[in-house]
Amino acid sequence: MFTITIDGKKTQVTRGTTVLNAARDLDIDIPTFCDHKYLLPFGSCRMCVVEVEGSDRLFASCVVPVTDGMEVHTNTARVKRAREAVLELLLTYHPLECPVCPQSGRCLLQDLVFEHGRDYGRFGHIDVEKRIDHLSPLIEMNQNRCILCGRCVRICDEVQAEGEFDFTGRGFPTVVEPTFAKPMDCEFCGQCVQACPVGSLYSRIFKHTAPTWELTQVRTTCPFCGVGCTLDLEVKGDHIYHVLGVDDEGSNNNGFLCCKGRFGYEYVHHPDRITEPMVRQEGELVPVTWEEAYEYIAQGMERIRSEDGPDALGGISSARCTNEENYLFQKFMRAVVGTNNVDSIARFGHFPGMEALRKAFGVEAPTNSLNDLQHSDLIFAIDSNITEDDHVAGLKVLKQVRSGNAKLIAANTRGVKITRFADPWMQHNAGTSVALLNSMAFVILEEGLEDKVFCSTRVTGLDELRESLGGSEPEKMEAVTGVKAGVVREAARTIASAENVTILITLGGASPYTGEDTVAAAANLALITGNVGKVGAGIIPLSEYNNIQGSMDMGALAEFLPGYQPVADDGIRTWFEAQWGVNLPTGPGLNAIGMIEAAAEGKVKGMYIMGENPLSSFPDQERVIEAMKKLDLLVVQDMFLTETALFADVVLPTSCGPEKNGTFTNTDRRVQRIRKAIESPGKTRDDWKILTELSEAMGYSNGIGSAMEVLDEITRMVPFYAGILPERLEKNGIHWPCPRPDHPGTEVLHLDRFPSGLGRTRPVQFQEPKKATPNYPYLLIPGTILYHSGTTTTMAKGLNAVAPTAIAEINPADARELELKTKDWVRLTSRKGITEVEVKVTKRNMAGTIFVPTHFREVPVNALIGYDPVKERGLTYVGIERIERIDVQRKADESQASKLKKTVQEIQDKKRRAVKESGPEVSGGK
Amino acid sequence: MSADVTLEDVRKDARAEEPEEQIDLAAVDKIIDSLTEMKGMLIPVLQNVQNVYGYVPEEAANSVADGLGLYRSQVYGVLTFYTQFHLSPRGRHIIRACSGTACHVRGGKTVISKLESKLGIGHGETTDDMFASFEKVACLGACGLAPVIMIDIDAHGQLDSLKAERILDNLREMDRMKRGE
């Protein structure tokens, strides 16, 4: 420890601390332009100069390490003179055009010029016309205002690993510029925008809309991916103008955001938002009052229930809605409607993966927090395009790997950003990750590299595993996975010898080839190498949905009451019955797949869908359409008139994330607050309110007066949420399990023991992805892209400017064979359906596969995918029969999307005819 | 809110896309292969690339960045920092006119404006027919011959606008003969 005195205040700091940081510890303010908390010291702006006793010259405090006994003065006349000179020099070319600058009001330079009371100084001002980038979407760059502090250049390199721009030229004409002065074409994370101390880089959406000092900040959680970044929405009236990432103790993201979080908020103000409840009358959706809508639903449900029993009704909850809303939704279905037919999109991929974790470790949740990655010395990413699915979590991986603190091994079919940093990158054939993981487990057991102490004290089932792995030698699996046996062996050895290994797997729609089996095989690997139940080691499944974990926790699952308490358990059910004051249905209900099948078969007659769009997100679009058509009563509760809503009998308009209070549970079990920032438009209501009022219309009062009261109830009903009281979430998120109000939350699970005592390894058999026959030569890889999250962000104008349409990716070898080139349009034919899409030829995709993003309504990828209703493993039929080039002109008429429109038209016509024949309809269903 | 500009034509898929080849980049790969045993070889690689093409084409610069594992912007930063690198094709002849003090006082300015008007280009530019590139330089180190210009590697001294014009005419004549026109 070194002692340093700054302006008479004494403090002790560790070796290597800079004078600037020591001053910050003492709350002494030293102005600086180029220094940034998360960047290496740069020492270019010279604003932070200080006087050090015993030395003649001034020192830039951001790059001078403290020496013992150092005495520093930060505010002497000499220091002031030096700083004024820096400002004078900056103002020789920085125009004082503050009235038109979007940074005005929070500009560091502006503040300091005010403080030092100088206008243009002795050197005057030279007006040089530099470039203003009018072409980049989202971010605008005005080089006239740039003070060359280099924060943007360094944050783009050190944090983003993107390197979009660099200092260009030399001397006075130096500018910060993208390569060859092109418009920016990057990840558009906007880290540079937030880092820019002046108004040189700014949001194109924000500029010239509102002065910064009129904006109010509302702290909330980002509603897009599973990371759950903390951000400040900057609002004025009922409009969101700007978004800032928040870096404080409670945030998960160190102030960083991705393009969706920073620029995606425009969907909130989209003119297509529905603002009135609607009921279908004579084939048309007609606006009605809320009371009429409730009445219609209540009567319709009552009728179905009395004719066919409560199990003829079903509900789909939402992985996008809050915990409170998911809780109320399943309570509505169970306690009010009286059925366990309630489920969510988690059924396709995410929940099966979590089941694998429960079978192995005893808890259906990620074992470690994302921040815990900083303790890992090896990160093993399986089929994880973390940069595009969970961007800010990806930054944590990049930081850990690029700083040399951890190695990265990637098993990825597609080349993605992290595979560039992986050593090795095992590019396995699509859908063969289980075979790959099994062969790695085989190597570890064969070479005796397992963690013997861990295996003998905390693991059971090892003998069965050993037996099942016979035949999984990497040499034999080489033909299946396409990864060289030597590489697999080396990777397995690296994992076995590393201290703390974190395994990342992306689950769900973003990664259809990972599911229960992949997670189970990964869990085996973690157990035999002793990489679970300790800090820095575990399995973190990642999701592209913000609250998929929460929706499962809240019991939006056919077989579980809130808190994964089985509905089939009499004791638990009786307790819930006592709490809710109703009789509850026994036995598991139909899950999402079951409900769609039952609806298509006419067994389920009414469905209530909250915040989900099965027509675009569930596999086998054709089957879903069939199901929706057959329903007697379809209630859709959403922000937009989705494809599913087009089939609805009742559409209820809801508020969205920035318009309501509640909590999200992110992909690492962290429960975080969202806060109401603006009023929701028109007659829209919060989901919790709709559910409460509808319950009342159906004769059940749940006694809820606000969203946070629901959280109160949750803490009573879900044991591992018991300590997560609303008031505790004001500052920080809390990782569940948190059983008591004084419990700090649990970042790392299974530290001393697994809930069931021992961790269990389970044999996992590798199954080829179902291409069915050689008739299906291509494998479809549906996935996400960086610039969108679900379909919601396609409602954001700015993001659409960057990624306006779906672009499929195909390998050059396939392209040659099919005579395709970039920008051609193709028709994809699978066993299930047809979709048409633009292609791009790129090496990042393996030969024999075609990647198609899932965000765009015009390109329904789910029309191509089928599922196996018997085995319920989620997406299974992924073979593509034909890829053929089509004329763009021709495509408009024949595409699935236009077919859908036609179908909707037909239904409406039919309904209209039916109404004409039978006379006007009375309210209360058909 | 003018975020509705799309960027279709400049959309990059970073390091994995097949470059749309307009120039033959085989030479670049060869240069990279021969010079990457050591670290810090960016400048020699770029010099060699410039020797092959006469300038550093954009595709070649990007290809160098990808080959050496650097950001494309870093390579661009280096290229723009050093005056020795040129990002656009240069003429068959390089005409450099001195604008140093000695040349200036002895009428260098009229020589320069004569050359500029005769060539129809300004500093740092190249004639459309690729005949010559023109540069004003700070000093050629031959103040005794002021005002002085250099054409390729030959110095021409004690000029006035008439002499300069004649030299330029001769140069064009020679260029024409060489090219067999």
Side-chain angles (χ1 to χ4, degrees):
Chain A
M1 296 294 268
F2 291 162
T3 308
I4 177 170
T5 315
I6 305 176
D7 291 348
K9 291 191 202 167
K10 242 188 194 131
T11 186
Q12 297 254 319
V13 295
T14 51
R15 188 190 187 85
T17 310
T18 60
V19 172
L20 181 64
N21 283 332
R24 280 178 183 155
D25 284 349
L26 288 169
D27 282 328
I28 293 169
D29 186 38
I30 300 179
T32 167
F33 291 117
C34 68
D35 190 77
H36 187 281
K37 189 174 168 190
Y38 292 104
L39 299 177
L40 297 172
F42 195 51
S44 81
C45 74
R46 315 316 278 184
M47 199 60 200
C48 66
V49 286
V50 291
E51 229 178 320
V52 177
E53 292 256 319
S55 176
D56 284 347
R57 64 187 185 92
L58 298 171
F59 288 93
S61 60
C62 67
V63 285
V64 173
V66 171
T67 54
D68 202 18
M70 206 177 207
E71 262 190 64
V72 176
H73 304 284
T74 69
N75 222 353
T76 61
R78 196 170 157 219
V79 166
K80 265 191 184 157
R81 227 173 23 247
R83 287 182 188 154
E84 275 175 34
V86 171
L87 290 174
E88 267 184 288
L89 286 166
L90 286 178
L91 291 185
T92 53
Y93 56 93
H94 180 98
L96 288 177
E97 53 189 17
C98 305
V100 294
C101 178
Q103 187 77 351
S104 186
R106 57 173 57 139
C107 171
L108 264 176
L109 181 62
Q110 190 183 37
D111 291 350
L112 288 166
V113 170
F114 267 122
E115 190 185 319
H116 290 269
R118 283 263 182 148
D119 194 343
Y120 296 134
R122 288 165 289 172
F123 316 116
H125 176 76
I126 305 158
D127 236 339
V128 191
E129 274 294 305
K130 289 185 190 162
R131 199 170 70 111
I132 303 172
D133 178 357
H134 290 294
L135 281 176
S136 308
L138 299 175
I139 299 171
E140 188 164 295
M141 189 182 209
N142 184 334
Q143 290 167 341
N144 292 312
R145 299 184 190 138
C146 179
I147 57 166
L148 299 176
C149 67
R151 275 192 194 175
C152 53
V153 173
R154 290 175 297 138
I155 211 159
C156 200
D157 168 17
E158 293 173 31
V159 173
Q160 282 300 121
E162 186 69 3
E164 179 59 18
F165 27 49
D166 204 341
F167 293 107
T168 303
R170 176 169 64 164
F172 204 70
T174 305
V175 288
V176 169
E177 203 165 55
T179 318
F180 287 93
K182 295 262 164 66
M184 287 171 74
D185 182 21
C186 57
E187 294 177 338
F188 291 108
C189 61
Q191 250 70 275
C192 53
V193 170
Q194 192 160 337
C196 185
V198 295
S200 182
L201 282 156
Y202 44 89
S203 159
R204 188 181 282 283
I205 303 166
F206 170 59
K207 76 158 183 176
H208 302 164
T209 56
T212 53
W213 54 89
E214 285 184 7
L215 300 175
T216 317
Q217 283 80 24
V218 181
R219 189 145 304 180
T220 189
T221 304
C222 179
F224 294 120
C225 79
V227 179
C229 296
T230 309
L231 46 81
D232 274 345
L233 293 174
E234 301 203 289
V235 301
K236 183 180 143 192
D238 283 335
H239 198 97
I240 304 173
Y241 284 94
H242 199 225
V243 170
L244 287 173
V246 174
D247 177 28
D248 70 6
E249 273 171 72
S251 74
N252 203 9
N253 50 319
N254 306 114
F256 304 133
L257 294 175
C258 71
C259 54
K260 289 161 282 191
R262 197 181 300 276
F263 301 110
Y265 56 87
E266 283 176 298
Y267 77 93
V268 174
H269 305 300
H270 198 282
D272 287 356
R273 284 279 300 271
I274 41 176
T275 53
E276 279 179 309
M278 289 180 279
V279 167
R280 193 173 297 279
Q281 284 167 7
E282 300 187 16
E284 299 277 351
L285 286 169
V286 184
V288 293
T289 65
W290 277 100
E291 286 63 37
E292 284 167 342
Y294 291 146
E295 182 72 17
Y296 187 94
I297 299 168
Q299 286 185 17
M301 284 194 163
E302 202 56 62
R303 219 199 40 219
I304 293 170
R305 191 161 58 176
S306 61
E307 282 171 15
D308 302 279
D311 288 335
L313 290 158
I316 306 273
S317 194
S318 172
R320 295 260 178 224
C321 287
T322 63
N323 287 331
E324 291 70 25
E325 288 152 0
N326 273 289
Y327 176 85
L328 280 186
F329 186 83
Q330 61 84 33
K331 186 175 172 185
F332 174 77
M333 291 311 291
R334 290 188 161 118
V336 184
V337 176
T339 176
N340 279 321
N341 294 348
V342 55
D343 214 33
S344 79
I345 191 150
R347 186 63 54 181
F348 304 99
H350 205 85
F351 177 66
M354 290 303 184
E355 277 285 280
L357 286 186
R358 183 177 60 80
K359 286 175 189 159
F361 309 142
V363 178
E364 39 288 79
T367 60
N368 295 49
S369 71
L370 289 170
N371 279 336
D372 196 45
L373 277 172
Q374 62 183 309
H375 303 296
S376 302
D377 64 350
L378 187 112
I379 296 165
F380 181 24
I382 304 166
D383 275 335
S384 181
N385 184 1
I386 190 167
T387 313
E388 301 195 45
D389 299 333
D390 298 274
H391 189 80
V392 175
L395 298 183
K396 291 177 197 283
V397 173
L398 289 179
K399 182 182 173 205
Q400 190 69 357
V401 173
R402 293 176 83 224
S403 63
N405 293 332
K407 272 188 67 127
L408 174 67
I409 296 180
N412 259 57
T413 304
R414 285 176 74 219
V416 295
K417 187 164 182 177
I418 56 165
T419 57
R420 280 196 273 139
F421 300 92
D423 180 27
W425 164 28
M426 297 183 282
Q427 192 175 22
H428 60 281
N429 293 326
T432 63
S433 51
V434 172
L436 183 69
L437 292 169
N438 275 349
S439 60
M440 291 171 83
F442 175 90
V443 173
I444 289 167
L445 291 176
E446 182 202 44
E447 299 185 1
L449 302 173
E450 70 270 26
D451 184 336
K452 295 193 178 65
V453 179
F454 192 87
C455 283
S456 62
T457 54
R458 296 192 60 181
V459 183
T460 176
L462 214 55
D463 293 334
E464 290 98 309
L465 177 68
R466 209 183 281 270
E467 210 170 293
S468 76
L469 288 176
S472 289
E473 292 98 319
E475 288 74 15
K476 279 191 194 161
M477 285 291 135
E478 209 176 283
V480 176
T481 61
V483 184
K484 291 257 177 305
V487 177
V488 177
R489 282 186 181 273
E490 200 46 52
R493 287 179 201 131
T494 314
I495 287 176
S497 63
E499 202 60 46
N500 298 315
V501 182
T502 298
I503 300 178
L504 300 171
I505 309 178
T506 301
L507 290 177
S511 191
Y513 294 100
T514 55
E516 182 165 1
D517 291 351
T518 313
V519 179
N524 288 343
L525 207 57
L527 281 167
I528 59 175
T529 54
N531 276 310
V532 64
K534 62 176 172 180
V535 172
I539 298 186
I540 310 179
L542 300 161
S543 169
E544 57 162 328
Y545 290 96
N546 54 327
N547 198 29
I548 203 159
Q549 182 71 43
S551 72
M552 294 190 297
D553 296 347
M554 292 304 116
L557 292 168
E559 56 270 62
F560 291 116
L561 286 158
Y564 305 100
Q565 307 184 71
V567 286
D569 187 312
D570 288 335
I572 288 168
R573 202 180 52 250
T574 322
W575 188 74
F576 269 90
E577 281 174 351
Q579 296 294 314
W580 288 348
V582 287
N583 285 332
L584 290 176
T586 57
L590 295 169
N591 61 31
I593 302 169
M595 273 186 268
I596 298 294
E597 284 299 314
E601 285 163 15
K603 287 181 199 151
V604 161
K605 299 209 160 133
M607 281 186 86
Y608 190 160
I609 298 175
M610 174 179 84
E612 186 55 73
N613 183 7
L615 239 69
S616 86
S617 59
F618 283 19
D620 202 349
Q621 194 187 44
E622 209 181 323
R623 190 74 170 158
V624 178
I625 293 177
E626 209 176 312
M628 296 297 138
K629 272 198 222 169
K630 276 236 174 98
L631 290 173
D632 285 344
L633 177 71
L634 174 60
V635 183
V636 171
Q637 188 168 314
D638 214 304
M639 292 161 56
F640 292 101
L641 209 57
T642 60
E643 290 87 335
T644 312
L646 293 178
F647 290 85
D649 299 289
V650 187
V651 178
L652 305 175
T654 68
S655 49
C656 59
E659 294 162 0
K660 60 190 178 189
N661 288 309
T663 58
F664 287 152
T665 304
N666 78 352
T667 201
D668 67 0
R669 291 179 282 109
R670 187 187 185 114
V671 184
Q672 301 187 103
R673 264 304 297 273
I674 61 163
R675 290 180 188 84
K676 185 185 177 83
I678 51 172
E679 287 300 327
S680 47
K683 291 188 193 163
T684 52
R685 289 186 183 170
D686 292 358
D687 294 275
W688 70 265
K689 194 158 191 212
I690 298 171
L691 289 165
T692 303
E693 288 168 350
L694 186 57
S695 293
E696 266 156 27
M698 292 182 72
Y700 177 86
S701 168
N702 61 19
I704 295 294
S706 77
M708 296 326 273
E709 280 177 34
V710 187
L711 183 58
D712 266 334
E713 184 173 327
I714 293 169
T715 57
R716 289 198 304 276
M717 309 305 282
V718 180
F720 50 84
Y721 275 66
I724 306 180
L725 305 174
E727 58 271 22
R728 288 188 69 192
L729 293 173
E730 281 313 312
K731 185 115 184 71
N732 292 349
I734 299 173
H735 290 90
W736 70 255
C738 175
R740 294 179 312 277
D742 58 349
H743 191 283
T746 316
E747 277 203 45
V748 183
L749 290 177
H750 318 309
L751 277 179
D752 301 316
R753 66 188 292 277
F754 295 102
S756 47
L758 295 176
R760 176 176 289 277
T761 54
R762 284 189 307 136
V764 191
Q765 290 307 326
F766 164 66
Q767 289 170 320
E768 289 256 10
K770 268 212 187 96
K771 288 208 274 190
T773 57
N775 292 339
Y776 299 90
Y778 306 100
L779 268 179
L780 172 73
I781 303 188
T784 53
I785 57 169
L786 176 62
Y787 306 105
H788 286 294
S789 171
T791 46
T792 318
T793 50
T794 56
M795 298 292 177
K797 208 165 122 200
L799 292 176
N800 268 349
V802 185
T805 55
I807 294 177
E809 292 176 8
I810 189 167
N811 185 276
D814 291 335
R816 260 193 301 280
E817 204 172 292
L818 295 160
E819 293 178 357
L820 291 173
K821 54 186 192 310
T822 298
K823 288 196 170 176
D824 278 349
W825 277 76
V826 292
R827 173 178 300 134
L828 309 176
T829 312
S830 81
R831 196 171 107 175
K832 283 290 171 188
I834 294 173
T835 285
E836 284 160 2
V837 65
E838 186 183 330
V839 290
K840 182 166 96 176
V841 180
T842 163
K843 279 183 201 150
R844 61 188 265 179
N845 227 37
M846 256 181 142
T849 66
I850 176 160
F851 168 82
V852 190
T854 54
H855 309 286
F856 302 91
R857 295 165 154 222
E858 322 78 78
V859 183
V861 182
N862 62 334
L864 297 169
I865 309 167
Y867 55 78
D868 189 336
V870 184
K871 288 178 66 197
E872 296 183 0
R873 275 186 192 283
L875 325 174
T876 41
Y877 299 109
V878 284
I880 297 287
E881 191 179 348
R882 267 199 318 277
I883 301 178
E884 50 198 341
R885 189 169 61 220
I886 50 164
D887 283 345
V888 188
Q889 284 88 357
R890 214 150 49 85
K891 88 158 235 296
D893 310 318
E894 297 164 23
S895 73
Q896 198 84 357
S898 69
K899 247 206 246 161
L900 186 62
K901 238 182 234 161
K902 256 186 239 162
T903 324
V904 175
Q905 197 60 47
E906 272 168 33
I907 300 167
Q908 288 182 341
D909 290 348
K910 212 160 49 189
K911 279 194 175 164
R912 213 169 284 143
R913 273 199 303 277
V915 169
K916 262 185 198 157
E917 280 158 23
S918 63
E921 205 167 343
V922 272
S923 69
K926 292 155 282 187
Chain B
M1 306 212 192
S2 41
D4 38 14
V5 187
T6 58
L7 266 184
E8 274 310 285
D9 41 349
V10 286
R11 189 122 291 278
K12 108 194 139 185
D13 165 19
R15 296 87 198 155
E17 202 179 347
E18 275 196 317
E20 281 184 32
E21 291 185 24
Q22 282 155 354
I23 59 162
D24 183 17
L25 292 174
V28 177
D29 294 338
K30 220 180 277 171
I31 292 165
I32 294 172
D33 285 344
S34 67
L35 282 173
T36 42
E37 282 107 69
M38 280 183 287
K39 271 203 149 191
M41 293 303 274
L42 175 60
I43 289 173
V45 167
L46 291 175
Q47 283 169 332
N48 280 314
V49 169
Q50 181 156 289
N51 286 344
V52 172
Y53 299 100
Y55 69 109
V56 183
E58 186 178 332
E59 293 89 338
N62 289 341
S63 173
V64 166
D66 298 351
L68 297 182
L70 299 167
Y71 296 128
R72 291 175 172 192
S73 61
Q74 277 176 322
V75 171
Y76 181 62
V78 169
L79 284 172
T80 50
F81 183 86
Y82 294 101
T83 48
Q84 62 172 301
F85 293 119
H86 304 279
L87 297 176
S88 50
R90 305 184 79 210
R92 293 184 291 280
H93 302 284
I94 314 297
I95 301 169
R96 285 179 290 176
C98 183
S99 54
T101 317
C103 293
H104 183 78
V105 297
R106 294 192 59 111
K109 220 174 169 185
T110 57
V111 173
I112 287 171
S113 58
K114 189 74 201 172
L115 289 173
E116 280 179 343
S117 66
K118 189 90 179 140
L119 288 164
I121 52 174
H123 169 69
E125 292 175 349
T126 302
T127 55
D128 288 342
D129 59 358
M130 303 306 283
F131 160 63
S133 296
F134 178 73
E135 283 167 13
K136 281 189 274 189
V137 294
C139 181
L140 286 169
C143 305
L145 297 175
V148 64
I149 65 169
M150 274 186 86
I151 295 177
D152 298 332
I153 51 168
D154 301 323
H156 302 263
Q158 293 179 332
L159 299 179
D160 51 37
S161 59
L162 254 163
K163 280 190 194 162
E165 196 173 356
R166 216 163 48 232
I167 290 171
L168 208 54
D169 288 342
N170 284 343
L171 182 66
R172 200 178 275 282
E173 194 55 39
M174 268 161 55
D175 182 64
R176 217 171 270 149
M177 274 158 60
K178 237 188 200 164
R179 289 162 57 80
E181 283 173 15

